[in-house]
Amino acid sequence: MTDGTYGTQRKAAARNRVAIIEAAHELFAADPLVPLSEVAKHAGVGAGTLYRHFPSREDLILAAYQHDIERLTAEADAVLARQASAKAAFVEWFETLAGYIRLKHGLGDALHSAAAQDLISASWAPATAAVKKLVDACVAEGTIAPGHDPADIIMLMSFLWRVADDDAGEAQGRRLIAAVFTGLSAPPVPLRRRD
């Protein structure tokens, strides 16, 4: 095998991996129990190629989840550039995150394993950094007061992945986001020491 052939095969393998992950993202969103043979077909690869990259369903679920979170955390700048206001970018980013997390809940036990918990823990720092960009833009815009901790805001916004995934849930989410912004427009309350 020549170096050129090996390089071509590596590029093809990398393309196949991305195609499989993107197909899994799309199909898992519609049906978390979709057969892996359907994922392979949608990705345009054979079942053997899928299993070479992802020996188990859990491996594929974790890879798709990691890919989604990495894409979302890298997307903060693009969302800020695309939206008319920092507040609108903040809302869009968190709504997208909520969609990913609702999908995670539908994937069952695969995202409750030790490997999944390590992956979720590892995504905390990049997610917090992305939220910091959004918060800083909102502070500059005047829609959030300075001093709020991005990690606290992620915890506060976690209500979004608990609302129903329908029109009523979307309306409830919008009301709750408005309430969050009302609270975030005030400076954070300093913690008092207990005596």
Side-chain angles (χ1 to χ4, degrees), residues 16-106:
N16 286 342
R17 180 179 171 81
V18 170
I20 293 165
I21 289 171
E22 291 190 350
H25 164 81
E26 184 179 332
L27 295 176
F28 287 156
D31 177 8
L33 302 177
V34 67
L36 294 187
S37 58
E38 189 63 30
V39 174
K41 181 179 173 184
H42 195 73
V45 302
T49 299
L50 184 146
Y51 284 107
R52 268 194 303 281
H53 287 282
F54 306 104
S56 72
R57 183 178 188 81
E58 179 181 352
D59 293 329
L60 179 55
I61 289 170
L62 292 179
Y65 180 73
Q66 181 176 20
H67 181 73
D68 288 345
I69 295 300
E70 286 172 355
R71 183 180 358 197
L72 181 63
T73 56
E75 189 74 6
D77 290 324
V79 175
L80 283 164
R82 181 171 59 246
Q83 286 291 348
S85 70
K87 181 178 178 179
F90 180 102
V91 171
E92 177 187 332
W93 193 91
F94 271 101
E95 287 178 340
T96 304
L97 175 64
Y100 288 158
I101 292 177
R102 277 194 296 271
L103 172 60
K104 175 184 91 104
H105 289 304

Side-chain angles (χ1 to χ4, degrees), residues 67-177:
H67 181 73
D68 288 345
I69 295 300
E70 286 172 355
R71 183 180 358 197
L72 181 63
T73 56
E75 189 74 6
D77 290 324
V79 175
L80 283 164
R82 181 171 59 246
Q83 286 291 348
S85 70
K87 181 178 178 179
F90 180 102
V91 171
E92 177 187 332
W93 193 91
F94 271 101
E95 287 178 340
T96 304
L97 175 64
Y100 288 158
I101 292 177
R102 277 194 296 271
L103 172 60
K104 175 184 91 104
H105 289 304
L107 293 173
D109 292 339
L111 286 170
H112 296 288
S113 67
Q117 294 312 306
D118 288 345
L119 174 64
I120 291 165
S121 295
S123 68
W124 185 255
T128 303
V131 171
K132 184 177 183 327
K133 288 181 182 182
L134 295 162
V135 169
D136 288 348
C138 287
V139 168
E141 180 181 78
T143 49
I144 292 179
H148 290 285
D149 184 323
D152 291 348
I153 292 174
I154 292 173
M155 296 300 289
L156 179 64
M157 295 296 286
S158 68
F159 70 83
L160 278 172
W161 37 97
R162 297 292 181 206
V163 299
D165 195 14
D166 57 21
D167 290 343
E170 185 177 329
Q172 182 182 38
R174 294 280 177 179
R175 290 192 307 272
L176 292 168
I177 289 170

